[in-house]
Amino acid sequence: MRVVVDLNRCQGYAQCAFLAPDVFTMHGDEALVYNPRAADEHREAVARAVAACPVQAITVEGLDGPGGSPPESSARAREGLRRAQESFHGH
C-alpha cells in the first residue's frame, strides 16, 4: 500500500494521526510525518484516516488489497467513516 499526503493541502487537523497512529504522526502543531509504505495490517486504519481527512489530502494506492476488491471490513469502515465525515461537515 502506497500512501501520499499532499502536504500543501494538509492543514494539520491530525485526524489521520488519531485514527492511524502507526502510519501518521504529528510533530508539533502542524508538521505531519507519515510512512508512505504502510503495512497491510494498517489498511483499515488508513482507510479511516483517508475518509476522515477534512481537506482530502491523503491518497492511497493499493487500499483495496491485492485482489483489487476491498475487504468487507474495509468497506464497512469506509461506510461508517463516510457517515462520520458527512456529520463532521454538516451534510
Side-chain angles (χ1 to χ4, degrees), residues 3-73:
V3 179
V4 176
V5 178
D6 182 343
L7 295 174
N8 291 318
R9 182 179 280 192
C10 176
Q11 298 294 308
Y13 289 101
Q15 296 298 308
C16 56
F18 176 74
L19 294 167
D22 292 326
V23 178
F24 303 96
T25 303
M26 295 301 294
H27 282 260
D29 290 337
E30 297 181 5
L32 176 68
V33 177
Y34 66 99
N35 178 0
R37 297 284 181 193
D40 287 344
E41 67 192 57
H42 302 300
R43 188 176 309 279
E44 284 191 43
V46 170
R48 289 186 188 109
V50 169
C53 180
V55 295
Q56 304 294 296
I58 305 168
T59 56
V60 181
E61 293 176 8
L63 186 61
D64 291 339
S69 60
E72 187 175 328
S73 58

Side-chain angles (χ1 to χ4, degrees), residues 47 51 72-86:
E72 187 175 328
S73 58
S74 291
R76 282 194 311 265
R78 286 182 184 175
E79 177 60 22
L81 290 168
R82 183 188 61 78
R83 291 183 194 154
Q85 194 171 32
E86 287 177 359

